[in-house]
Amino acid sequence: IYINLHKEHPDNPIVLKSWAKTIVCLGKYDEAVQKYKMAIKYFDALGNTGESWQCNDQIKEIENRFNDPDQFKNWVSAVSGGSISEPKL
């Protein structure tokens, strides 16, 4: 779904951010970081600093996952809407 949305709307940061969250839920954290970075680029171009900040904050959560594994697992659970109870690091 996100591949098709991205093809139709390649510069849409909302699509990229949502895609990144889905990738987080799949446990593909490095790939999610790349999608968040792409979203930041487009949010910055739109002057949407709030969304850029959120994406950067979510990148930090991923990058710091080994520093506080319990906090990270809680964050992934929240990103998934509670559907993932035991995320991997």
Side-chain angles (χ1 to χ4, degrees):
I1 293 171
Y2 283 109
I3 291 170
N4 289 333
L5 281 171
H6 185 61
K7 285 179 185 177
E8 292 175 29
H9 311 282
D11 300 340
N12 188 314
I14 298 295
V15 169
L16 291 164
K17 183 180 175 188
S18 297
W19 194 359
K21 289 180 178 184
T22 299
I23 295 169
V24 164
C25 295
L26 295 172
K28 298 178 180 182
Y29 306 123
D30 293 335
E31 190 177 333
V33 167
Q34 294 308 310
K35 296 294 186 239
Y36 280 125
K37 286 181 178 180
M38 289 172 61
I40 290 167
K41 173 184 162 186
Y42 294 116
F43 281 130
D44 285 347
L46 295 170
N48 193 333
T49 57
E51 289 289 343
S52 290
W53 181 90
Q54 281 186 353
C55 290
N56 274 308
D57 190 59
Q58 292 173 1
I59 290 170
K60 288 177 188 173
E61 288 287 345
I62 293 168
E63 291 174 343
N64 294 322
R65 66 186 177 271
F66 298 109
N67 296 341
D68 190 343
D70 290 332
Q71 177 180 329
F72 179 74
K73 289 178 181 183
N74 288 335
W75 176 75
V76 172
S77 182
V79 168
S80 75
S83 63
I84 298 174
S85 58
E86 287 298 321
K88 67 178 187 174
L89 291 179

